[in-house]
Amino acid sequence: MFNSLTSLFKQLVEGSDLGKTPTASPNLAIASLLCEVAGADHEINESEQEAKLNLLQRLLGITEEESKTLLQQAEPQVEQSVSLYDFTSQLRELSQPVRIDLIKAMWEVAHADGEIDPLEDSVIRKTAELLYVDHKDFIKSKLDVLGED
């Protein structure tokens, strides 16, 4: 506790930007968001694990092994994170279609177990807001995943 206060004080004195998060790759941020939504309901089942793995391969064009490695790196990031902003701040430069694809992928992870928990919905909603995804695109992505378009 004392060390963290000392560190905070040093940052204030030195004029460091406290809002900056450690530099990480956008791929890691995407993997972290998928992990965040999967764990939102405090139950991560095999279908959600498989969905995260497959979606990372599809979204990022990487191999299964690379996806597994990325997920292993993302899980501790999610546990240490204090907000979704830690991840979304790194992804705002992505094009609007890519951000919409990410939101749709999050819906796919949430629905992988056959239902969307309100906590999962909340994580996706907040992520969409932080990434400046229009509400209509947020809803369309959800409906596409649910097959209700």
Side-chain angles (χ1 to χ4, degrees):
M1 171 81 173
F2 182 72
N3 288 337
S4 62
L5 288 174
T6 303
S7 174
L8 177 63
F9 181 71
K10 284 181 182 177
Q11 288 176 338
L12 288 171
V13 170
E14 294 169 0
S16 297
D17 184 359
L18 297 176
K20 289 187 178 178
T21 56
T23 306
S25 75
N27 289 358
L28 184 57
I30 289 169
S32 297
L33 287 170
L34 295 181
C35 289
E36 189 78 53
V37 74
D41 61 357
H42 307 290
E43 293 179 25
I44 302 174
N45 62 33
E46 188 61 38
S47 61
E48 289 174 325
Q49 283 292 97
E50 193 65 32
K52 290 188 299 184
L53 193 65
N54 292 333
L55 287 164
L56 283 175
Q57 291 174 51
R58 186 182 82 206
L59 285 172
L60 305 176
I62 58 177
T63 67
E64 181 177 350
E65 196 57 43
E66 290 169 325
S67 293
K68 287 180 182 178
T69 301
L70 202 52
L71 288 173
Q72 288 172 346
Q73 294 171 347
E75 288 167 3
Q77 295 282 330
V78 169
E79 289 179 23
Q80 295 173 4
S81 173
V82 293
S83 77
L84 294 171
Y85 183 81
D86 292 345
F87 310 119
T88 59
S89 63
Q90 301 170 45
L91 302 174
R92 289 194 180 138
E93 300 302 318
L94 296 175
S95 69
Q96 187 72 1
V98 172
R99 287 183 276 156
I100 293 168
D101 285 346
L102 173 58
I103 296 302
K104 185 174 180 179
M106 291 177 76
W107 282 121
E108 289 179 50
V109 169
H111 191 255
D113 60 1
E115 64 178 287
I116 297 174
D117 186 273
L119 293 171
E120 294 169 328
D121 185 290
S122 177
V123 167
I124 300 167
R125 182 178 305 275
K126 187 65 179 172
T127 301
E129 290 171 3
L130 290 169
L131 291 176
Y132 307 116
V133 172
D134 291 336
H135 187 70
K136 68 177 177 60
D137 294 321
F138 165 81
I139 295 297
K140 181 178 180 333
S141 298
K142 181 178 182 179
L143 294 176
D144 287 348
V145 169
L146 295 175
E148 298 177 13
D149 47 358

